[in-house]
Amino acid sequence: MNRERGSVVVIVSFFIVLFVTLLAFIVNVGYLSATKNIYENAAEAAAMAGSARLCDGDAINVAGQIAIENGAPEGSVSVTLGFFDDDSDQFYPEGTIPEGEYKNAVMVSISSDVPTILGAFLGKEKTKVLAKAVAYAESCGFLALGENSEIRIGPSGSSIDQPLLKNGVIYSNGDIKLARGATCSSWWGSRTYLPPAFENAELYA
């Protein structure tokens, strides 16, 4: 009789341990899945926020801040600017952007070591959780004018046109290309168009 009771205790103990282990595994997987979902949402929000700031040069700082505000741990966020080719669905980081293209995309990567519930049993207390997102924008640029800014097309009555930007700022997420000078002739005479001139102006590209 005592032998049978001992066998029952062993069997019950085995199933209790098995049940607790299985429960811990399910909770652990759910926790890691929820954490990864948070990181993915944070990466997507950060990438979109960063792509909206490509023109003013603040994309990296904005993306990093948005990622942290949405649940990414401090020190876990990496932001990379580059070019996203919509046709090939490929991201080219700075330094590898194809010739003639421009920075139109932000990649946000989040990598963090997350504690595991079964760490004591598996000998691995933390598991690395990764998330990555890319957002891109079309070529954009804008001109910022202040109280003392001026835009002039050309001297009145002159046969030479040369646009002038004074005390202004131009932002662009691509190269700023200036038109070359040209002279056009017609029945009323000729007119020369020169590349734009800048006076106390700043260009950010």
Side-chain angles (χ1 to χ4, degrees):
M1 190 69 173
N2 290 334
R3 183 177 300 175
E4 291 179 358
R5 289 180 179 175
S7 299
V8 171
V9 170
V10 171
I11 294 173
V12 171
S13 299
F14 171 77
F15 279 105
I16 289 176
V17 172
L18 181 62
F19 174 76
V20 171
T21 303
L22 182 60
L23 180 62
F25 176 77
I26 294 173
V27 172
N28 189 70
V29 170
Y31 172 68
L32 293 177
S33 178
T35 301
K36 183 175 180 62
N37 187 56
I38 291 173
Y39 289 179
E40 287 177 344
N41 291 337
E44 290 175 3
M48 287 189 289
S51 66
R53 299 295 294 273
L54 281 168
C55 289
D56 62 10
D58 203 28
I60 293 179
N61 292 332
V62 170
Q65 184 62 36
I66 293 297
I68 293 173
E69 290 178 0
N70 281 271
E74 292 276 357
S76 68
V77 182
S78 174
V79 181
T80 305
L81 304 184
F83 172 74
F84 182 79
D85 187 351
D86 193 28
D87 294 330
S88 63
D89 199 32
Q90 184 172 352
F91 176 80
Y92 297 87
E94 283 186 292
T96 66
I97 297 177
E99 185 177 355
E101 300 297 349
Y102 53 92
K103 288 183 291 186
N104 73 338
V106 176
M107 173 184 283
V108 177
S109 302
I110 299 175
S111 175
S112 179
D113 292 327
V114 178
T116 59
I117 297 175
L118 295 176
F121 298 97
L122 301 177
K124 187 178 182 181
E125 296 183 358
K126 294 184 178 181
T127 296
K128 188 174 292 295
V129 177
L130 305 173
K132 184 180 295 184
V134 176
Y136 70 99
E138 298 296 334
S139 178
C140 65
F142 63 88
L143 172 64
L145 300 176
E147 184 178 350
N148 298 319
S149 298
E150 296 181 32
I151 297 180
R152 300 177 186 172
I153 302 302
S156 177
S158 172
S159 62
I160 298 177
D161 276 337
Q162 183 176 33
L164 170 67
L165 171 62
K166 183 178 180 181
N167 300 324
V169 181
I170 295 178
Y171 296 94
S172 173
N173 69 333
D175 293 334
I176 298 176
K177 299 180 180 180
L178 304 178
R180 293 182 296 178
T183 299
C184 299
S185 300
S186 64
W187 61 271
W188 64 79
S190 63
R191 196 167 190 83
T192 300
Y193 299 90
L194 299 178
F198 302 94
E199 183 178 332
N200 295 326
E202 300 177 56
L203 284 73
Y204 296 94

